[in-house]
Amino acid sequence: MNKAHAWKRWPGGGALWLAVGAVFALASLLLWPVAPLLIEWQPSRAFTQPWRAFSAAFVHYSALHLAANLAGVVLTVALGAAASMPPRAALAWALAWPLTALGLLAQPVLLHYGGLSGVLHAGVAVVAVQLLWDGPAASRRLGAAVYAGLVVKIVTESPWSTTLTQPAGWNIAIAPGAHLSGLLAGTGMALLTNAAAAVSTDTQRRRQQRMRCTSAVVE
């Protein structure tokens, strides 16, 4: 099976991608009234309250923060839906969700964190990797451009030397480390789910070949 054909296997594949994005948006809206201290990421509680790796994505410290991340969800979902992401891409995005927060253990000086920006970076990374993995030539070029743009953006943020930044016009600080963590989590999970799918497909093909051989011998 050639890659171009495999890419067309999921004409409705964007549905699961949309569902993951909808969960992120809805949870953010529902948890908006909750006090951030109760559900935000705090490295000191990473192991005693591991659920914070999930809930931290839905913490927003201002209405502007919430609005920006909801807009980011819409754009990330639209990107994935337009590219008809297969179910394994939606799975990769979902798996990257808690891993993005857990990656912040590498930056223990960041005592409090909340927001979807890291998870959104993970989603964009998943789309880019998926396009590079099994998209047609034009889609692979798009995937490479998207991934390169994401890397350049994060490099300019210097997450390895900056814990928090205060962009002009924002009423909250930004944690570049979360963006890097999201990039790594999204990339890793996209590679993992695609590798697992490739192994499964190869195993199934070998099984079918053995069955055909057995049937031929019996006949």
Side-chain angles (χ1 to χ4, degrees), residues 35-57:
L37 284 174
L38 297 178
I39 57 176
E40 68 183 4
W41 171 256
Q42 297 177 17
S44 62
R45 298 183 179 182
F47 300 105
T48 57
Q49 298 178 351
W51 46 266
R52 287 178 181 265
F54 295 87
S55 63

Side-chain angles (χ1 to χ4, degrees), residues 31-183:
L31 294 177
W32 165 240
V34 177
L37 284 174
L38 297 178
I39 57 176
E40 68 183 4
W41 171 256
Q42 297 177 17
S44 62
R45 298 183 179 182
F47 300 105
T48 57
Q49 298 178 351
W51 46 266
R52 287 178 181 265
F54 295 87
S55 63
F58 311 130
V59 173
H60 292 90
Y61 299 107
S62 72
L64 175 61
H65 188 200
L66 174 62
N69 275 341
L70 289 178
V73 171
V74 171
L75 292 174
T76 305
V77 166
L79 176 64
S84 189
M85 287 290 99
R88 62 180 178 274
L91 174 61
W93 193 14
L95 291 173
W97 161 25
L99 294 179
T100 297
L102 290 173
L104 294 177
L105 287 171
Q107 204 169 39
V109 294
L110 184 62
L111 302 180
H112 303 272
Y113 173 76
L116 271 168
S117 62
V119 175
L120 295 176
H121 280 71
V124 175
V126 169
V127 173
V129 171
Q130 192 65 51
L131 291 172
L132 285 165
W133 185 277
D134 64 0
S139 293
R140 289 197 297 272
R141 288 193 292 271
L142 174 61
V146 170
Y147 199 88
L150 198 59
V151 169
V152 169
K153 173 187 179 295
I154 291 173
V155 167
T156 60
E157 294 174 338
S158 302
W160 44 84
S161 61
T162 304
T163 303
L164 294 171
T165 61
Q166 186 69 54
W170 282 78
N171 55 6
I172 62 165
I174 304 299
H179 301 169
L180 175 60
S181 183
L183 170 68

